[in-house]
Amino acid sequence: MKVLVAVKRVIDYNVKIRVKADHSDVDLTNVKMAMNPFCEIAVEEAVRLKEKGVATEVVAVTVGPKAAQEQLRTALALGADRAIHIETDERAESLAVAKLLAKVVDEEQPGMVILGKQAIDTDNNQTGQMLAALTNLPQGTFASEVAVDGDKVHVTREIDGGLQTVALTLPAIVTTDLRLNEPRYAKLPDIMKAKKKPMDVKTPADLGVEVASKVSLLKVESPAERKGGIKVASVDELIDKLKNEAKVL
Amino acid sequence: MSILVLADLHEGQLAGATAHVVAAAKAIGGDIDVLVAGEGVQAAAEAAAKLDGVSKVRVADNAVYAHQLAEPMGALLVELADGYTHVLASASTTGKNVLPRLAALKDVSQLSDVLAVDSADTFKRPIYAGNAIATVKSDDALKVITVRTTGFDAVGDGGSATIEAIDTVVDNAQSSFFKQELAESDRPELGGAKVVISGGRGMGNGENFKLLDGIADKLGAAIGASRAAVDAGFVPNDMQVGQTGKIVAPELYIAVGISGAIQHLAGMKDSKVIVAINKDDEAPIFQVADYGLVGDLFEILPELEGKL
C-alpha cells in the first residue's frame, strides 16, 4: 500500500522563542527552522513500513511557504519516494491543512496516512483527527506502536493512565507519539539523491480549498515570569521555608 | 448561550477533570449541559448531575460508546451539537482525540488547551510549549474548545441537574477496542494532585524512584517524571510531566534530578511553589524554582523523608 506522510516546517525545538515587541506574534525572523519532531517520527514509521514490505511507496506532503521544501527534501533523504508541496504564504490553521490533505488523500488513495500528534509551534493536536473526519476514515492517535495485519491496523495509543490498543480498518489515519520510534539521521549520499527525487508543487486554489479561517490571532504575550527564587543550604531550611514562608506543608 | 460539556470518564466513573471544564463553561456563561457517553455510566451521570452550574446531564449509555472511541463519539457529538454555541471537553487524551473530529465535521476551527476565558468568543491559549500566550477570537458559529484543566478551579458539588437519556445510537464498523493496559496506582491522580514530586534522569534508574515513595506518602503527593526519565525506561510514560505528557499545576512541585528542559517546564511552571533538588547548581530548573537545594539527591531524599 501507499503511505502518505504529512510534515511541517516549524521553529527548531531548541530555540528559545521571542515574542515580537508589538505583540502581534512570535518573532520568526532569522530563527532556525526544522521539521517538527513528531513529523520526523511519522516519516521514520512510514520508511520502516516500507522496509518491512508493508508499504510500497512513501509520499511526503507539506503545506507552507516555499522554504518548507527544505523539510520535504529532508523527508526524501530519510526515505520518502516523492513529495507534494502545497504552497501558501498564508497562516494555514489545522482545519485548512486538513482540508488540503483530504484533497491529496482523494487523489493519491493511500492505505495509511501518518502525521505527528501535534506541531510544537501551535501545539494544537488537531490536524490528524480533522483529516480522519473529513475523509471519513478511522483514526489511531498518539500511537506508540503500529502493526498492520491484513486489511486492519492495530494501533497502541498513549492515553491518560496507560496504553490502549484499537483495531482500525484500512485505510486509516495514524498520528505519532514520541515513543513510536527513534528517527534516523539523513546520510550525506541520501541527501544528494533526495535532490533528484520528484516534487509536485500545487496551490490551495488548485485543490479548491480556502485557507482563510474564522479564528483571528489578537495578541501574543510572554507568559508571566516567575520571580527568582532562593537557594537554601539544608533540608532543615527547606522544610522551614515550605512550612513558614510558602505555607504549603 | 448554551454549552455542552463532554464528561471525562475514568474506568466508567466521572473523572475530576469534568469539574474544571464546567468551571470554564461557567466563565463563558449560559446554560450548561453535560454529556456522559459510554457503557454502564449511570453512576458517572449521577455524579455529573451534582456539579454546580450544570442544568442538564445527557446520558448516552450504549456499547458503541464504550472506551469513548473517536469515530462513534464524533458521530454522536455531531448529532447533538446543533442548538449549542459551545462544545467543551478537557484537554485529556479523550478530549484531544474526539473534539477535532466534531470540529471538522461541523466545518469549524477548534481552540485547543484554552487556559482563560476573556469573553464568549475570545480565549487565551499557550503556544510554543507555553513560552507564549496567544489571545484568539473565534467567529465560528460553533466554538469547539478543549480546556486546560489547571487553568480553572473545579466547581463544587451541590447541584441537582436533571438526567436525560439519549437514545441516539451510531454505527461504527471502522474501529474497535482491542485491549488496554492501565498503570496501577494508589496515589492521587497526577493531574489533580495538590503536591507532585517528580524524578528525572538524575534518579539513575527505575529502582531509585522508590526513594520518592516515602516522601509522596507523607505529603499525599503524586509521583511524576521528566521525559528523560521516561525515555530512559525508568518509569512508564503516563507519569511524564511536560509538553508531551501531563500538564500539572499543584500547590507544591518538587523536581528531583531534573535539569529543567523547556519541554518539562511547559508541564509544571504554573505550579504555585516549585522546589528543585539537583547536584548541578547551573541547572535551568533553578531559574524557575522558588527554593533550590544543591546536593546529592541520594543523601537529600532520605533526610527529607525522615524530617517531614
Side-chain angles (χ1 to χ4, degrees):
Chain A
M1 69 179 171
K2 187 192 286 186
V3 174
L4 188 69
V5 52
V7 300
K8 184 177 186 186
R9 174 183 173 86
V10 298
I11 193 164
D12 186 278
Y13 73 97
N14 286 312
V15 173
K16 184 132 177 63
I17 60 122
R18 276 194 329 272
V19 171
K20 285 184 184 173
D22 66 358
H23 296 293
S24 60
D25 206 341
V26 165
D27 193 352
L28 293 183
T29 44
N30 300 319
V31 164
K32 188 181 174 207
M33 305 293 278
M35 188 190 291
N36 180 45
F38 290 100
C39 303
E40 288 182 354
I41 296 169
V43 172
E44 176 67 29
E45 196 63 18
V47 172
R48 287 187 190 188
L49 285 172
K50 195 179 168 196
E51 288 167 347
K52 279 189 221 158
V54 175
T56 49
E57 188 187 27
V58 175
V59 182
V61 57
T62 197
V63 177
K66 190 159 182 72
Q69 289 189 6
E70 283 171 34
Q71 279 62 48
L72 285 176
R73 290 289 170 203
T74 303
L76 293 169
L78 291 169
D81 296 290
R82 61 188 172 87
I84 301 169
H85 179 210
I86 302 165
E87 190 174 339
T88 175
D89 287 325
E90 271 190 81
R91 199 168 56 92
E93 295 252 353
S94 312
L95 182 63
V97 173
K99 284 180 182 175
L100 290 163
L101 294 178
K103 295 285 184 185
V104 176
V105 168
D106 216 28
E107 283 177 12
E108 297 280 341
Q109 295 289 317
M112 193 187 296
V113 186
I114 312 181
L115 305 88
K117 81 163 177 183
Q118 73 187 59
I120 59 163
D121 50 1
T122 51
D123 284 336
N124 273 326
N125 196 330
Q126 299 171 358
T127 306
Q129 295 89 314
M130 288 179 161
L131 175 62
L134 296 174
T135 53
N136 194 27
L137 295 176
Q139 68 192 46
T141 50
F142 329 139
S144 61
E145 201 181 328
V146 175
V148 176
D149 178 17
D151 62 350
K152 278 199 168 9
V153 58
H154 279 81
V155 179
T156 301
R157 309 177 51 235
E158 298 197 3
I159 59 167
D160 296 333
L163 297 172
Q164 178 193 69
T165 306
V166 292
L168 311 174
T169 55
L170 290 170
I173 312 289
V174 171
T175 75
T176 64
D177 215 319
L178 275 172
R179 267 157 298 273
L180 180 58
N181 60 48
E182 194 151 321
R184 70 193 71 187
Y185 292 98
K187 295 195 196 79
L188 187 61
D190 293 334
I191 295 171
M192 301 310 288
K193 270 184 236 159
K195 292 183 178 165
K196 296 204 179 81
K197 289 186 178 177
M199 185 177 311
D200 272 352
V201 180
K202 297 169 192 281
T203 64
D206 295 340
L207 297 167
V209 172
E210 190 71 54
V211 173
S213 115
K214 288 200 167 125
V215 172
S216 41
L217 185 61
L218 300 185
K219 191 164 63 177
V220 175
E221 297 160 289
S222 293
E225 291 276 327
R226 292 189 73 92
K227 59 176 168 43
I230 57 159
K231 288 210 174 115
V232 294
S234 67
V235 169
D236 290 318
E237 190 186 349
L238 176 65
I239 293 173
D240 175 64
K241 294 279 187 197
L242 290 177
K243 276 191 176 142
N244 301 317
E245 194 174 276
K247 299 191 196 314
V248 286
L249 285 186
Chain B
M1 240 117 31
S2 53
I3 302 168
L4 182 65
V5 169
L6 173 63
D8 266 73
L9 303 178
H10 184 69
E11 299 190 70
Q13 301 300 309
L14 190 73
T18 309
H20 295 266
V21 183
V22 170
K26 281 177 92 168
I28 294 168
D31 284 339
I32 302 169
D33 292 357
V34 174
L35 170 64
V36 178
E39 189 182 21
V41 291
Q42 200 54 38
E46 282 162 21
K50 294 198 181 87
L51 294 175
D52 265 339
V54 176
S55 40
K56 190 166 65 182
V57 175
R58 309 181 72 180
V59 189
D61 200 332
N62 190 282
V64 76
Y65 307 121
H67 303 286
Q68 301 195 314
L69 298 184
E71 297 76 14
M73 291 294 289
L76 172 65
L77 281 167
V78 169
E79 292 278 319
L80 300 180
D82 290 332
Y84 290 101
T85 54
H86 298 70
V87 176
L88 269 56
S90 79
S92 62
T93 48
T94 302
K96 288 175 181 171
N97 192 32
V98 172
L99 250 56
R101 252 187 115 94
L102 164 69
L105 292 170
K106 284 288 180 190
D107 196 26
V108 298
S109 292
Q110 176 185 301
L111 306 177
S112 295
D113 244 352
V114 161
L115 47 75
V117 174
D118 279 5
S119 71
D121 61 7
T122 306
F123 305 89
K124 286 193 166 63
R125 59 175 303 266
I127 53 176
Y128 294 90
N131 287 301
I133 307 295
T135 304
V136 289
K137 179 170 185 285
S138 167
D139 291 325
D140 280 316
L142 175 70
K143 275 82 167 166
V144 177
I145 293 169
T146 61
V147 174
R148 175 170 287 197
T149 49
T150 57
F152 301 89
D153 293 332
V155 297
D157 280 346
S160 54
T162 55
I163 298 181
E164 163 199 288
I166 302 172
D167 45 19
T168 308
V169 177
V170 299
D171 291 330
N172 177 31
Q174 292 187 307
S175 66
S176 58
F177 172 79
F178 188 68
K179 64 173 180 180
Q180 190 153 285
E181 297 158 51
L182 295 182
E184 287 182 24
S185 172
D186 302 332
R187 300 187 192 286
E189 190 210 349
L190 196 50
K194 287 208 158 41
V195 181
V196 173
I197 182 163
S198 288
R201 205 201 300 271
M203 297 300 291
N205 59 46
E207 192 67 15
N208 289 338
F209 265 73
K210 291 203 177 112
L211 291 169
L212 305 179
D213 284 349
I215 299 171
D217 286 341
K218 287 194 170 171
L219 296 176
I223 298 183
S226 69
R227 185 181 155 195
V230 173
D231 282 352
F234 297 174
V235 290
N237 61 44
D238 55 288
M239 286 170 66
Q240 185 185 321
V241 172
Q243 184 187 17
T244 55
K246 294 215 172 61
I247 313 281
V248 301
E251 298 272 301
L252 173 62
Y253 187 89
I254 307 175
V256 184
I258 291 175
S259 65
I262 294 177
Q263 114 86 35
H264 186 74
L265 299 183
M268 46 65 83
K269 68 182 166 54
D270 293 328
S271 305
K272 188 167 163 241
V273 174
I274 297 173
V275 170
I277 299 172
N278 204 302
K279 67 179 178 200
D280 173 12
D281 67 353
E282 302 278 304
I285 190 78
F286 287 119
Q287 291 165 21
V288 299
D290 299 280
Y291 303 107
L293 183 52
V294 179
D296 184 353
L297 65 92
F298 296 103
E299 289 166 17
I300 292 171
L301 290 177
E303 188 186 345
L304 182 61
E305 184 182 342
K307 287 179 173 164
L308 280 172

